[in-house]
Amino acid sequence: MARQIHIDSYECDMSRSTISRGSRAAAFVGFCYSIFLIICLIEISQAIDMLTPPGAITDGMTLVSARNVFEFGFFSPGSSRNRYLGIWYFQMSPQTIVWVANGNNPLNDSSGVVSIAKDGNFILQDQTERIVWSTGAENISSNGTFLQLLDSGNLVLRNDKGGNAGDYIWQSFDHFSNTWLTGMELGKDPSSGLFRRMTSWTSADDPAPGQYSCSVNPRGPPLEFVLWEEDSLQYRSGPWNGVGFSGLNFEPNNVFDLKLVVNAEETYYEYVPETKLVTTRSVLNYSGIMQRYVWNATSLKWLLVGNLPNDPCDNYGHCGANSICTISDPTICSCLTGFIPKSQQGWEIHDWTGGCVRKHPLNCSKGEGFLELKGVKVPDHWLIWINTGMSLKECQAECLKNCSCTAYANSNVSGQGIGCLIWHGDLIDVRQLVRPSAQNLYIR
């Protein structure tokens, strides 16, 4: 709704005035013109959050979400002179970018134009009218289609005004850049074929997709959060165990909760702020570190509250096979009970990549038992068997049926614990957790 300014009636006492009638008229006209300019400036300053045909956005123009939370337009990161189309927090200093459209295809001047094409897609064109970037939606109607920036930071293409997410033709929340905002779902949606994952920038000056990415592991179940450097696994959270990811060392906080959603239609991971007053975001930086920030409204600064990986034991397979990483130990790495270093010489110079091997081969006919490791991140699950309904005792019995079974654990540790995970072969990426945990591992 347009703001209005009401001007009260103005009366002059003619007998006391020494100003001529003509001068008074000129003064009144000037006064009215000033009010008109003020009204125009107020109207111009109001946030515009939508782009409708045949309108366009050129460099220097922006959309601002209804409550002045996010802004959409052109920007240049760091020392770069290239122009990119993106979203950032409104009036935060320094500028905090949360999404980039044309990271792979920057403009080298300020001639970019954003509009709704005849086919209903949102497009970016350069000075030659070449399409630099497009939403690329198919089989849509251009009738009534418009672009809107929401207060969540989600940029949506739609042809209705009802506000239902299911009615969006396209949304930026389905296409992550290097930032994860509240409401963004990290993971896979089998119904649409979407696999939502964060991707780092190439550098602070270049938002082209870099070599690091993270998401929910697509090779689950069990499900876990993973970080990759190209095709090389760098970090895994450990599988979801009904309470959290088994390997996360975050202390309980009053900022946000972790939430994993698994159903027939989709599998995704999101975080939910404790209150609407909390502004928080995660960034996968160009060095491959996932960083969690919280906005401090008093100091007007972003506070770093967590990193992943956080210490050497978070690095995937840091101690090699059949070992355990304990960050509080002077040597960090040690072989699991019953195992010895594969290379004693390497172990002595803290080269643990060779890992450990069994001191004595298994002889299942003699009925070996199991060693309980309390409060650990369970091993990687390349070779794993899972049953969500078994008790821990039944899980042990299942492991004993096969001499290649090397370890077992509950898949869900909530309550009294239930479900069964069974490993075969080497045990990779086990770590002792710093904080108390109900996740135990039983090694043959």
Side-chain angles (χ1 to χ4, degrees), residues 215-237:
S215 187
V216 172
N217 196 340
R219 60 183 170 91
L223 296 163
E224 59 185 350
F225 176 79
V226 291
L227 192 157
W228 298 82
E229 181 181 8
E230 297 179 341
D231 294 329
S232 174
L233 184 57
Q234 299 296 300
Y235 167 82
R236 53 181 283 273
S237 65

Side-chain angles (χ1 to χ4, degrees), residues 75-80 82 84 100 102-106 177-178 199-210 286:
F75 72 98
S76 293
S79 60
S80 173
N82 289 330
Y84 297 89
V100 183
N102 59 319
N104 267 332
N105 202 1
S177 183
N178 70 335
T199 304
S200 67
W201 286 14
T202 297
S203 71
D205 303 326
D206 185 358
Y286 52 86

Side-chain angles (χ1 to χ4, degrees), residues 246-249 311-314 319 323-329 332-334 336 372-378 429-441 443:
S246 74
L248 281 184
N249 269 311
D311 58 47
C313 287
D314 273 344
C319 297
S323 61
I324 185 167
C325 193
T326 306
I327 197 64
S328 59
D329 283 358
I332 300 181
C333 294
S334 58
L336 295 168
E372 181 185 42
L373 286 180
K374 293 185 176 182
V376 297
K377 177 169 94 171
V378 299
D429 200 37
V430 180
R431 77 161 292 168
Q432 186 69 52
L433 299 177
V434 175
R435 62 179 175 82
S437 169
Q439 183 71 70
N440 300 329
L441 178 69
I443 301 174

Side-chain angles (χ1 to χ4, degrees), residues 49-64:
D49 65 345
M50 294 184 189
L51 173 65
T52 58
I57 298 173
T58 58
D59 203 316
M61 299 172 61
T62 63
L63 297 182
V64 178

Side-chain angles (χ1 to χ4, degrees), residues 318-320 333 341 343-355:
H318 185 69
C319 297
C333 294
S343 169
Q344 186 62 43
Q345 182 179 3
W347 209 260
E348 289 173 356
I349 60 172
H350 291 188
D351 178 5
W352 301 295
T353 54

